Amino acid sequence: MSQINKLKIFNDPIYGFITIPNALIYDLVQHPYFQRLRRISQMGLSYLVYPGANHTRFHHALGCMHLMQKAVDVLRFKGVSISPEEENALYIAILLHDIGHGPFSHAMEKSIVEDVHHEEISLLFMNQLNVEFNGQLSLAIQVFKGEYNRKFMLQLISSQLDMDRMDYLKRDSFYSGVAEGNVNSERLIQMMNVVDDFLVIEEKGIYSVEKFLMSRRLMYWQAYLHKTSLVAELILMKILKRAKELTLKGVQLPCSEPLLFFMQNKVTIATFDAETLDLFAQLDDFDIIGALKSWQKNDDFILSSLSKMIVNRDLLKIKLTSEKVAIEELQPLKERFSVENNISLLETNYFIFKGKIKNQAYSKEAEPIRILKKDSTIEDVIESSDQLNLKSLSKLVTKYYICFPKQLL
């Protein structure tokens, strides 16, 4: 295939046309590892709340690369030297930053792929692709791991104001219809610069940064931590845990081979070899949804009841509170549910449980967002801002929840 055929254009509903900059990027996008992201929803089960939120991680990865192209143009225009090799490394690293996500990633990480974080799997995929592409991803991997000597390059990929966050806030806001999440990524990128190897935002861009942080906080409460999305994800976690438990006891559950493998084996980062990676690469949303549909008819009361909840969107009741919930409060509910459904008290933990969620729009512990002032001094956005609410955005807000079946109301 001639190179000219590889310079493709994607039509994106948010940015318009996204161009593929070179043949290597085209080949990476075409790779089965990357194409699988078309079958993995960006917002998990949020479509149960926002019907439009059906966009995929494929969309998001391309959007991030598009924003990185803009950022490279702006920084070069301002005199920051970025070599063609560095430019390509930035595009590859941001394109592949989320490639390690599994279907309904957060639920999976807490149930069947327990001890392996998606970022570690992203790195495994990158290393494997680097072998296939004869070392052409080496610099991108160095940047992704934070081992390259130019710090601002990592900040563009992973920081409190990176291309990843800029795209997912804008994209998730667009598809879910939660207008509060919309951020002005164009303006934020125009205001970027590099000083002493650190990414900075010029002072006149400070209001855009404030809006960005505010949008992030609102998107967490209204979309990512919306109580219905939250309870759906918690139920999915319980389903996968139960399925794994039954499988390990020798119960044969109908599901795809890749899913069965992860239910039958305890996978750690040490045992995550090329074969495991290949099986992981075959997992997508369809494996999980397909399994839930057949598990609805399973003899196991717990597995079938929970699976029906997700498939038919008839979820557990969830109550949020600012006060910690005492375990004793759940006891009467558990006893009643245990008797009514002929299950043990221990098994009621699948239906009646408590927990907490946290939201912090800006962390003082992480790498700060630096503002470049007109007198060339640099300070943390928290100090620069005349907005009192920015200080409150850096406070960690914790909410507590309890979940239980609706019939216990």
Side-chain angles (χ1 to χ4, degrees), residues 205-352:
I206 192 161
Y207 298 116
S208 302
V209 176
E210 288 176 0
K211 166 75 167 62
F212 169 84
L213 292 172
M214 203 60 189
S215 298
R216 187 163 184 265
R217 176 176 177 272
L218 294 172
M219 273 303 279
Y220 267 85
W221 287 134
Q222 272 185 266
Y224 311 132
L225 296 175
H226 184 288
K227 63 180 193 166
T228 307
S229 311
L230 174 66
V231 75
E233 191 172 283
L234 291 165
I235 294 168
L236 182 57
M237 225 149 64
K238 300 275 183 191
I239 293 170
L240 294 173
K241 270 197 159 139
R242 181 61 172 178
K244 186 160 189 166
E245 196 180 296
L246 292 170
T247 304
L248 293 175
K249 282 181 183 166
V251 178
Q252 293 282 312
L253 292 179
C255 66
S256 68
E257 277 178 45
L259 183 55
L260 187 62
F261 172 84
F262 286 97
M263 294 201 304
Q264 286 175 333
N265 298 281
K266 184 165 173 55
V267 178
T268 63
I269 195 69
T271 61
F272 219 108
D273 55 18
E275 205 177 315
T276 310
L277 189 67
D278 209 47
L279 281 162
F280 186 84
Q282 293 171 47
L283 277 179
D284 56 46
D285 289 9
F286 297 99
D287 296 77
I288 305 289
I289 299 294
L292 296 186
K293 285 168 72 181
S294 38
W295 295 347
Q296 291 180 98
K297 300 179 181 68
N298 196 272
D299 293 340
D300 182 70
F301 170 75
I302 297 168
L303 189 65
S304 64
S305 304
L306 294 174
S307 297
K308 281 176 194 159
M309 286 181 192
I310 300 279
V311 175
N312 303 318
R313 199 196 177 277
D314 187 9
L315 307 167
L316 293 171
K317 177 78 180 158
I318 180 168
K319 281 188 175 172
L320 287 178
T321 158
S322 49
E323 299 298 313
K324 218 170 181 172
V325 185
I327 195 84
E328 299 79 52
E329 286 183 49
L330 302 182
Q331 204 54 32
L333 294 176
K334 288 184 173 186
E335 285 167 6
R336 193 180 133 198
F337 194 72
S338 155
V339 172
E340 284 175 10
N341 295 284
N342 197 21
I343 58 171
S344 71
L345 270 175
L346 187 64
E347 289 173 330
T348 61
N349 291 332
Y350 278 103
F351 298 90
I352 300 163

